[in-house]
Amino acid sequence: MAKNKIAYVCSQCGNDSPKWIGKCPICGEWNTYVEEIISKNVSGQALQTLTNYDSLKSKPLLLKDIETNDEIRMDMKDQELNRVLGGGLVPGSLVLIGGEPGIGKSTLVLQTVLKLNNYKILYVSGEESAKQLKLRAERLGSHNNTCFIVCETNLEQIFTHINNIQPDMIVVDSIQTIYTEKIESSPGSIAQVRESSALILKFAKETNTPVLLIGHINKEGNIAGPKVLEHIVDTVLQFEGDQHYMYRILRNIKNRFGSTSELGIYEMCQSGLREVNNPSELLLTQNHEGLSGVAIAAAIEGIRPFLIETQALVSTAAYGTPQRSATGFDIRRMNMLLAVLEKRVGFKLGQKDVFLNIAGGLRVNDPAMDLAIISAILSSSLDIAIEREVGMCGEVGLSGEIRPVNRIEQRIQEAEKLGFRKILIPHNNLKRFDINKLDIKIIAVRKVEEAFKELFG
């Protein structure tokens, strides 16, 4: 007979313990252990070893005997989503989309499935009613005659609907609201999310049906629930952005069927999310002529080059202690660049407030942004504007040298396409391509001082 067992499970890493402890010995987090009720079958019989080898469903195969074919992907009718997924949705894959509340996860998924008129889709909603989804679909202006909506949170009932409809694709919104009767705990608990996602994964692999899971995130910005949820799925997408800005970024954290360096950019409108095919034009202010503290950087996210406007403000510290603030950029790297400016170039910024902002609400991690960051800071400190049609890219080292960056040709071509006349690049990047075929003027610099001399004279 079944006997209930109480265990304490870490909500961060999934480690279990027979008693509550304050600090997890595996991941080192504090106060993450929660009580879970686990059903365990108690039996005195030991597991019997199978003697009939032919009865096994899976057998070992030599690596050379395994046949491989190109994955046939489903076109999602969305260029940005197809790019992030690696070319489309792979049948039988399990995709997890996470993001903050109200960022647009459900809107993105709903407007995508409404475009797929050639596939039968089952949309399982555990948070919204059918009328709410109907109103959202009307607001998006899309119609689909092959999309079924069911408001259900019981996993066994959901599988019954799946067997009756036989859909080509399934959407679950959200995985934290789904529960199975096999586990005696509330929906959203560690055990429920782990067991429900494992059963959905088994169904997706056995029937070759793709499943899109929408997941909540916690206050730290991670997917809520056990860490095993991110391990068992094939793809993890992070939908992020500031609710006060119109832009949304779809990042690829994990992808078993493609690159993890891709990202998609959307613009939030009243009629839904609009794909941004050329983000460079939208991320640049139309007119910053004569404004100091603005520099244009040629950055790359994934394989996409685009130009980003970096803004800096340097002012005298009003309260004695200087402030350092960065929006969309690593504050520790900014402090390192300020130290390089003071030590190697000789600009005293120790008693000044420095504020840095990446226009458009984006967050970038490209090291090639360094040259634009220090140029914008120095432009604001000297109150001298940088020419509007000058772009730049380059990584700044601790000794003040400008280090080479990757994919320099794509960065230069993007600046040339948008009408820039000059671009500053690291000198060592000149060895990799021919500059004679370009219309834009290439200025190669070795040190920070050379770049400042070209910008400010």
Side-chain angles (χ1 to χ4, degrees):
M1 61 180 293
K3 180 181 178 181
N4 291 335
K5 175 186 175 183
I6 297 179
Y8 294 88
V9 182
C10 177
S11 59
Q12 291 293 327
C13 63
N15 183 50
D16 58 352
S17 171
K19 63 179 182 178
W20 186 89
I21 53 180
K23 182 180 180 180
C24 178
I26 303 300
C27 63
E29 297 292 333
W30 286 89
N31 300 324
T32 55
Y33 275 81
V34 293
E35 181 180 332
E36 294 290 344
I37 300 177
I38 302 174
S39 297
K40 182 179 179 181
N41 293 327
V42 180
S43 177
Q45 298 179 355
L47 293 176
Q48 297 180 356
T49 305
L50 293 174
T51 56
N52 186 6
Y53 182 76
D54 295 334
S55 63
L56 292 176
K57 294 182 179 180
S58 60
K59 297 179 181 179
L61 295 175
L62 290 174
L63 183 62
K64 64 183 182 64
D65 296 334
I66 300 176
E67 298 181 357
T68 58
N69 298 318
D70 293 336
E71 295 289 349
I72 301 176
R73 297 177 181 263
M74 298 172 57
D75 185 10
M76 303 300 289
K77 307 296 182 182
D78 187 322
Q79 295 182 6
E80 301 296 304
L81 184 57
N82 283 336
R83 180 188 294 109
V84 175
L85 290 174
L89 186 63
V90 177
S93 63
L94 192 61
V95 180
L96 176 63
I97 302 178
E100 295 181 356
I103 205 67
K105 303 183 298 295
S106 301
T107 301
L108 173 65
V109 174
L110 182 61
Q111 78 172 24
T112 300
V113 300
L114 290 178
K115 299 176 184 177
L116 305 178
N117 294 309
N118 299 328
Y119 300 100
K120 187 186 296 184
I121 301 166
L122 178 62
Y123 193 106
V124 181
S125 176
E127 299 179 349
E128 296 179 289
S129 64
K131 292 183 179 179
Q132 289 176 311
L133 291 173
K134 175 66 174 178
L135 292 174
R136 177 176 291 176
E138 292 178 349
R139 188 171 67 250
L140 295 174
S142 301
H143 302 280
N144 190 321
N145 296 325
T146 60
C147 182
F148 295 85
I149 304 294
V150 59
C151 300
E152 183 62 65
T153 56
N154 188 305
L155 188 59
E156 285 73 20
Q157 295 292 332
I158 292 173
F159 282 140
T160 302
H161 294 303
I162 293 174
N163 293 330
N164 294 333
I165 297 177
Q166 297 293 323
D168 299 320
M169 187 172 69
I170 301 170
V171 177
V172 179
D173 185 10
S174 65
I175 185 60
Q176 280 81 13
T177 62
I178 306 301
Y179 72 95
T180 175
E181 297 177 352
K182 296 180 180 180
I183 303 295
E184 297 181 3
S185 58
S186 60
S189 61
I190 301 294
Q192 284 288 359
V193 174
R194 180 174 59 239
E195 186 68 20
S196 299
S197 57
L199 293 174
I200 294 175
L201 174 67
K202 181 181 178 182
F203 165 79
K205 299 303 180 183
E206 290 179 351
T207 62
N208 205 32
T209 303
V211 180
L212 295 179
L213 302 178
I214 298 178
H216 299 163
I217 65 172
N218 52 28
K219 61 182 180 180
E220 287 82 15
N222 302 319
I223 302 293
K227 203 67 176 177
V228 70
L229 176 61
E230 299 179 44
H231 287 289
I232 67 173
V233 300
D234 297 310
T235 305
V236 179
L237 305 181
Q238 187 82 11
F239 201 47
E240 59 187 38
D242 196 327
Q243 294 185 2
H244 302 289
Y245 288 92
M246 64 184 73
Y247 302 113
R248 301 288 186 269
I249 297 179
L250 186 64
R251 294 187 185 273
N252 200 331
I253 301 176
K254 171 189 175 183
N255 192 359
R256 290 173 177 163
F257 305 106
S259 173
T260 57
S261 60
E262 294 294 342
L263 87 163
I265 300 180
Y266 295 87
E267 181 183 7
M268 179 64 77
C269 307
Q270 290 186 349
S271 58
L273 292 164
R274 185 184 68 84
E275 304 172 39
V276 179
N277 297 321
N278 188 8
S280 296
E281 296 180 356
L282 297 177
L283 297 178
L284 298 178
T285 301
Q286 296 301 320
N287 185 16
H288 58 78
E289 191 73 32
L291 300 178
S292 62
V294 178
I296 307 301
I300 281 189
E301 286 286 343
I303 63 172
R304 299 182 65 182
F306 51 89
L307 302 183
I308 301 179
E309 180 180 310
T310 61
Q311 302 173 347
L313 176 63
V314 179
S315 61
T316 305
Y319 302 103
T321 303
Q323 301 182 57
R324 301 287 188 263
S325 176
T327 303
F329 192 75
D330 188 4
I331 183 67
R332 292 171 297 182
R333 189 163 188 87
M334 188 190 76
N335 290 331
M336 183 204 76
L337 295 176
L338 293 177
V340 171
L341 278 177
E342 185 162 349
K343 179 71 174 180
R344 303 299 180 185
V345 189
F347 288 95
K348 304 300 181 181
L349 300 174
Q351 297 300 321
K352 293 187 177 182
D353 297 334
V354 180
F355 303 95
L356 181 66
N357 177 49
I358 305 299
L362 298 182
R363 180 166 186 84
V364 291
N365 300 313
D366 191 357
M369 297 279 296
D370 291 352
L371 184 56
I373 296 296
I374 62 174
S375 299
I377 293 174
L378 190 58
S379 172
S380 177
S381 178
L382 300 176
D383 200 17
I384 300 176
I386 300 175
E387 294 183 30
R388 184 178 182 272
E389 298 177 348
V390 176
M392 60 198 74
C393 62
E395 179 183 356
V396 177
L398 292 180
S399 59
E401 80 278 10
I402 307 297
R403 302 175 61 84
V405 296
N406 61 347
R407 298 179 183 175
I408 188 64
E409 289 189 54
Q410 298 181 19
R411 302 174 194 265
I412 296 175
Q413 290 172 0
E414 182 72 11
E416 183 181 6
K417 183 176 67 175
L418 293 178
F420 280 70
R421 295 186 297 105
K422 295 189 295 184
I423 183 170
L424 275 66
I425 68 170
H427 187 271
N428 289 338
N429 281 124
L430 286 178
K431 306 175 182 178
R432 304 181 182 179
F433 68 99
D434 184 16
I435 64 175
N436 296 325
K437 59 183 179 180
L438 300 173
D439 295 333
I440 188 173
K441 183 180 179 181
I442 306 296
I443 301 175
V445 292
R446 291 184 174 88
K447 296 183 178 180
V448 175
E449 296 93 328
E450 298 180 17
F452 292 162
K453 187 177 296 184
E454 291 288 344
L455 293 174
F456 307 108

